[in-house]
Amino acid sequence: MELKRFKLILMVVMAFIWLYLLMQMFSDDLNKRPLLPRTRHQSDILQTRNITNQTLFPRTRNQSDIRISNKNTKFRMTQSNDNCSHYNMSKQNIKQLKGRWSSPIVVSKYKLIFFWSEKSACTYWKRLLQLIQGINKTALHNARSGLTTLKMFNDCNITAMMQSNQWVKAAFVREPRERILSSYLDKGQYKHVMNELCRINRQVSFYEFLEIIKRCKEGHWGQQVRAPKHFYKQMMIGKFSEISSFTERLLKRIGAWNETVVYWITSSKHIYQPHSTNAKSKLLTYYNNTKSQDLIFDLFSDDYNVFGFEKTYFK
C-alpha cells in the first residue's frame, strides 16, 4: 500500500517537472521569434519594432527625422519670439497706438495705417477706405463696417508694422478750434447728448462746453495726436483744408489711385455727411474773444505743435 502511494507521488512530481521543462522550451522559442509578422528581412522588422516601442509618433522613414522635426518646430517658435523681441516699444505706447476712441484703420492690401479722428472728415475717409478694398457695407462706425483696425493685431505685429518702412503711415487732422466748434454744434449743444456723455443734464453755452471737456474725455473732442509723437515725423499728414489734394497724394503713394476712385470723388456718392455743421463759417460767431481761443490753444497744445497749426487769433 505504501509502495503504491510512493509511486503515485513520484509520477505527479515527474509530470510537474516535465511540464515545467516544456514551458521553458516554449518560452525560449518565443523570445527568439519577432512579435511582428515576418517580412523579407528580419532586421527590418526588429528596427521597426524598436522605433515603435521608443516613440508615440507615427512611423516615419527614420527616427532621426522625428527628432529633427521637433527641433525645427522649437526653432521656428523661438525665432518668432526673437523677431518680436528685436522691436522696442513700451506697453504704454502700444496702448496709445491701439486707440482709446478711434483705432487706426489698417489697409493690408496697400500696406497703409491710417490715423483718423472724429469730426475730421472721418465719414469720408472710412467710405473711401472701404471703396479701395472693395468693401460693400453701409455701416461705418462699428465692427460691421468691414474695416480692419490696428487694435485687432497683437502687440508684436503692431510694433513691427509701425517700425517698418514698408508700411505707409498717414494721419488726417483738422484745426482744433474749428473741430471743437463742430463737436459743440453736433454734440455739445444738445442736452440729452451731454447728459449721456458727461452727465450734464442741461443745455450748455459754448464757453461752458470748453470748460466741461477739460474733465469729460470723449473722442469727438479728444486731441488728434493719437500716436507717440516721434512717429509723426515719418507720417504723411493731411489737413482738413486740403482734403482733395491730400487724398490724391496719399492714394497715389500707396498705389490705389484709379478711375473708380476719381469717379467716386467727383460724384456725389461720397458726400454722406449727416454730422456736417459748417463750423468754418461760424468761427467768428463763437470765437469772438481771445479767452476762448486761449483755452483751445492750451487744451490742444500737442495738436498745434505736432501738426503745425498756427496760433493766431481769428479776426
Side-chain angles (χ1 to χ4, degrees):
M1 188 69 178
E2 293 294 332
L3 182 61
K4 289 182 179 181
R5 182 179 299 178
F6 175 77
K7 289 182 178 180
L8 181 60
I9 293 173
L10 183 62
M11 290 176 63
V12 171
V13 172
M14 292 297 295
F16 275 108
I17 294 174
W18 179 82
L19 182 61
Y20 173 78
L21 294 174
L22 186 64
M23 292 178 64
Q24 285 292 106
M25 293 173 60
F26 184 72
S27 176
D28 292 341
D29 188 53
L30 283 178
N31 289 334
K32 293 177 182 179
R33 295 181 182 181
L35 296 178
L36 300 176
R38 290 182 63 86
T39 60
R40 183 176 300 177
H41 298 289
Q42 183 67 23
S43 60
D44 293 340
I45 297 176
L46 293 175
Q47 182 180 2
T48 304
R49 184 175 64 183
N50 290 337
I51 293 175
T52 304
N53 292 336
Q54 291 174 10
T55 179
L56 296 177
F57 288 101
R59 179 182 175 183
T60 61
R61 183 176 300 176
N62 193 301
Q63 178 65 19
S64 61
D65 292 341
I66 297 176
R67 297 194 184 101
I68 293 173
S69 176
N70 291 339
K71 290 180 180 179
N72 287 341
T73 302
K74 292 179 181 179
F75 172 75
R76 284 194 295 270
M77 293 173 64
T78 304
Q79 188 180 46
S80 176
N81 292 334
D82 286 344
N83 285 342
C84 186
S85 66
H86 290 330
Y87 302 111
N88 183 22
M89 190 180 296
S90 68
K91 291 291 184 181
Q92 183 179 0
N93 285 347
I94 292 175
K95 183 179 180 180
Q96 184 181 5
L97 285 167
K98 289 181 178 180
R100 179 179 176 185
W101 298 296
S102 54
S103 181
I105 296 171
V106 177
V107 184
S108 298
K109 180 179 180 180
Y110 296 106
K111 289 191 175 298
L112 170 67
I113 302 175
F114 186 82
F115 288 79
W116 60 278
S117 299
E118 298 86 339
K119 308 309 301 178
S120 297
C122 63
T123 296
Y124 168 87
W125 285 108
K126 288 181 180 181
R127 290 214 177 279
L128 179 57
L129 296 180
Q130 283 180 331
L131 175 71
I132 65 174
Q133 296 179 87
I135 299 173
N136 186 21
K137 301 282 187 179
T138 56
L140 278 180
H141 306 299
N142 55 49
R144 296 189 298 274
S145 68
L147 295 170
T148 302
T149 59
L150 196 63
K151 65 182 178 183
M152 295 178 181
F153 295 82
N154 62 42
D155 292 358
C156 181
N157 287 335
I158 291 173
T159 306
M161 290 159 64
M162 287 300 300
Q163 294 185 352
S164 171
N165 292 329
Q166 296 180 355
W167 284 83
V168 174
K169 295 86 176 178
F172 190 79
V173 294
R174 189 176 187 178
E175 205 282 332
R177 287 170 293 183
E178 182 179 333
R179 177 172 174 262
I180 295 306
L181 176 56
S182 180
S183 297
Y184 172 73
L185 296 174
D186 182 40
K187 307 290 182 184
Q189 65 178 341
Y190 297 103
K191 176 181 175 180
H192 69 281
V193 176
M194 292 304 292
N195 185 37
E196 179 182 350
L197 298 178
C198 300
R199 304 299 177 93
I200 305 295
N201 192 20
R202 59 182 174 83
Q203 192 170 11
V204 299
S205 67
F206 180 56
Y207 191 80
E208 286 179 310
F209 176 73
L210 297 182
E211 291 291 338
I212 290 169
I213 64 176
K214 289 181 180 179
R215 61 181 184 276
C216 178
K217 305 300 182 181
E218 211 277 333
H220 286 84
W221 49 78
Q223 68 175 10
Q224 296 171 96
V225 175
R226 297 185 177 179
K229 294 179 183 179
H230 65 275
F231 280 115
Y232 288 100
K233 295 178 182 179
Q234 305 299 327
M235 277 195 201
M236 294 183 66
I237 307 296
K239 296 181 179 180
F240 197 87
S241 58
E242 55 175 22
I243 187 170
S244 296
S245 60
F246 179 73
T247 299
E248 182 176 354
R249 187 157 52 95
L250 174 63
L251 295 193
K252 284 183 176 179
R253 168 80 179 276
I254 65 176
W257 185 259
N258 53 46
E259 293 181 358
T260 302
V261 172
V262 173
Y263 174 77
W264 182 85
I265 292 174
T266 56
S267 71
S268 60
K269 292 182 179 180
H270 70 281
I271 306 176
Y272 176 73
Q273 299 175 330
H275 303 291
S276 178
T277 60
N278 297 315
K280 188 173 183 178
S281 64
K282 303 173 183 178
L283 290 174
L284 292 177
T285 301
Y286 287 88
Y287 292 104
N288 51 19
N289 57 58
T290 59
K291 185 178 180 181
S292 57
Q293 296 183 66
D294 285 337
L295 187 53
I296 295 291
F297 293 155
D298 182 58
L299 287 175
F300 299 94
S301 59
D302 283 348
D303 285 2
Y304 281 96
N305 294 332
V306 172
F307 303 124
F309 292 113
E310 295 182 3
K311 294 182 179 181
T312 54
Y313 297 117
F314 295 133
K315 297 179 180 180

